[in-house]
Amino acid sequence: QVQLVESGGGLVQPGGSLRLSCAASGSILSIGAMDWYRQAPGKQREFVAYITRAGTFAYADSVKGRFTISRDNAKNTVYLQMNSLKPDDTAVYYCAADVTDSQYRTFRSWGQGIQVTVSS
């Protein structure tokens, strides 16, 4: 059993910052790409950023220059530093990871999501 748990969300004023964390736990052999997605009310889930195990990364155009993704492979954790937040960034943020477990099965695992609200 593998679990991804997000933390660090909350309410922040426009222009503020938040740092999300997502820790994977369970019978993990290795983790490949780790991603962040978000879903705003009434909208489809959208890609935010990804990072490979080697550190290659990419961002959605809407967050480039404001968000930074990073990871700690030893801790099976991915981070999302969000700066210059805007009301349009308000959403539930989800992390996802390509996990290989101790049975050598590879699958996509998702966190339960965490709310980020940007409002004055």
Side-chain angles (χ1 to χ4, degrees):
Q1 191 77 2
V2 174
Q3 283 189 319
L4 269 62
V5 179
E6 299 100 336
S7 61
L11 173 64
V12 64
Q13 292 187 342
S17 298
L18 281 176
R19 189 193 194 208
L20 303 183
S21 300
C22 173
S25 62
S27 301
I28 297 170
L29 188 63
S30 67
I31 299 178
M34 302 185 83
D35 309 343
W36 288 97
Y37 287 78
R38 66 186 182 186
Q39 187 167 18
K43 295 186 178 181
Q44 289 188 329
R45 190 173 298 188
E46 64 175 5
F47 167 77
V48 174
Y50 83 78
I51 186 167
T52 67
R53 186 172 183 82
T56 303
F57 54 84
Y59 299 96
D61 287 344
S62 59
V63 306
K64 278 181 182 176
R66 300 188 298 122
F67 290 11
T68 302
I69 191 170
S70 61
R71 64 189 283 171
D72 185 332
N73 291 330
K75 296 181 178 179
N76 289 334
T77 299
V78 63
Y79 307 96
L80 188 68
Q81 177 67 43
M82 305 185 294
N83 299 328
S84 303
L85 282 161
K86 306 173 182 179
D88 284 349
D89 295 318
T90 295
V92 176
Y93 284 71
Y94 299 88
C95 68
D98 295 330
V99 177
T100 299
D101 68 9
S102 57
Q103 304 299 313
Y104 294 92
R105 297 171 297 195
T106 298
F107 51 88
R108 187 81 164 168
S109 184
W110 288 84
Q112 80 286 354
I114 192 163
Q115 179 69 45
V116 171
T117 302
V118 184
S119 175
S120 56

